[in-house]
Amino acid sequence: MTSIIFDLDGTLVDSAVVLRDVGNTLLSELGLRPMTTEEARRYIGNGAKVFVEKMLGARDALDAETFAGNFARYSVLYAAAPGETNVRFPYVDETLRALAAEGYRLALCTNKPTAPTDVLLVAHEWADLFGAVVCGDTLPERKPHPEPLHEAARQLGEPPVIYVGDSEVDAAAAEAAGYPFFLYTEGYRSEPPDTLAHDVAFADFRELPKKIRTFISTL
């Protein structure tokens, strides 16, 4: 049976608001101007450290001597944020459960750190749905490096794999890993969806099971 690896932020959940709020708490403590939701959304995709680097850099407050302490504080705030503040995209929960019931093996591969990922999975009752969870701090490499995707596939037994994501980072990771890429067009990206290399695009999670079955039938 085919395995399906999912990205998290921008694919299964809209995390922009919680990341904005966590970032703004740190910015407030530092006496810096807050972020808008759109600004936070632009910084998502390459992991928490890059998010904080971009957030501080936009305020001319990125300093090598203070960054480690600021990132540590951000990490504490992020880990404490309620998981349910990451809002599921429409029909995600039903689709994940339907795919699992059909026998597909599911995995998660995200650049989000482990601590907030675990909180989110518990809050949405997804902890038992994924046979593998690879986070941004699981390995030395992060997406778009292919190793996180390969590690998720190895944990599932390395069956045929489809990767589902939403961004330039996800498209590049899928290409580097050699996995078919299903693009969720309602997530986060800087470029139009048709500029990203992908095998299948979809805007509604209710379409995903049929699109997967159709794609597999052509292999």
Side-chain angles (χ1 to χ4, degrees), residues 109 114 134-142 145-152 154-155:
C109 184
T114 298
V134 177
C135 298
D137 51 4
T138 301
L139 302 172
E141 304 86 5
R142 295 194 307 272
H145 196 285
E147 186 56 24
L149 287 178
H150 289 320
E151 175 61 21
R154 281 194 292 268
Q155 290 186 27

Side-chain angles (χ1 to χ4, degrees), residues 169-183:
V169 171
D170 294 319
E175 183 174 14
Y179 295 155
F181 181 52
F182 280 44
L183 174 64

